[in-house]
Amino acid sequence: MAEHSAGILLYRGLGAGLRVLLVHPGGPFFAKKDEGAWSIPKGLVEPGEDLLTAARREFAEETGQSAPDGRAVELGRVRLRSGKEVTGFGMAGDFDPESLRSNTFEIVWPPRSGRRQAFPEVDRAEWFDVPTARTKLNPAQVALVDALVRYLDDSQAAT
């Protein structure tokens, strides 16, 4: 069975002012990658764990701050090229990218050196407008941004 992750697509503003928070994966593999490398803050769902609970936990682990209180909108599920599935939730909120404090992971680096080094799971966070987010995101996750835009457009039309 494929791994399953859950994450939060934090947003602020509406219409042309809509911005989404994306994170850049840390570590040497992604150090020089930009377009197509960014992600929503996300992580693995534990067996039997509620998806939104997992998304909130992972947001806190990757950013160093709790996810905002308030309504979470399920944006759907996407499949990454690796086969991992990601369920995204849209939440309105704010976050100062300068306050990013990610958890870390260890790998042998450089390869075959026998030396273990720690790297942040996320090395930076940034707010992007929707067109820029579509180019920065892992291509499979663009569908989550599109679902958020549709939801917000439908919500505004209903008022």
Side-chain angles (χ1 to χ4, degrees):
M1 188 166 111
E3 288 184 326
H4 192 175
S5 288
I8 293 176
L9 179 58
L10 197 66
Y11 69 92
R12 65 183 186 194
L14 294 170
L18 178 63
R19 299 293 181 267
V20 294
L21 182 76
L22 303 180
V23 295
H24 186 269
F29 179 75
F30 288 98
K32 295 184 178 172
K33 294 180 180 6
D34 187 52
E35 289 192 2
W38 292 68
S39 176
I40 67 171
K42 63 172 177 41
L44 291 176
V45 177
E46 300 296 329
E49 186 177 24
D50 174 75
L51 294 174
L52 182 55
T53 300
R56 287 179 174 282
R57 173 179 42 78
E58 290 296 331
F59 185 92
E61 287 180 6
E62 291 195 352
T63 67
Q65 291 186 20
S66 297
D69 293 328
R71 186 164 194 264
V73 177
E74 189 166 343
L75 301 173
R77 185 180 291 197
V78 297
R79 182 180 300 274
L80 306 181
R81 196 172 347 140
S82 66
K84 180 188 291 185
E85 294 184 336
V86 177
T87 298
F89 294 90
M91 295 186 78
D94 204 3
F95 178 82
D96 176 5
E98 295 296 318
S99 70
L100 181 73
R101 299 290 177 267
S102 178
N103 57 345
T104 60
F105 68 96
E106 281 192 2
I107 59 171
V108 173
W109 191 258
R112 297 179 295 284
S113 68
R115 292 192 332 226
R116 298 190 64 78
Q117 289 192 45
F119 296 95
E121 197 167 329
V122 167
D123 62 14
R124 60 191 186 272
E126 194 169 329
W127 289 99
F128 293 104
D129 61 35
V130 170
T132 305
R134 287 182 176 127
T135 65
K136 297 286 186 181
L137 264 172
N138 173 303
Q141 292 182 41
V142 171
L144 300 173
V145 172
D146 293 342
L148 175 66
V149 169
R150 281 191 305 276
Y151 167 77
L152 294 172
D153 286 349
D154 291 349
S155 296
Q156 283 186 293
T159 57

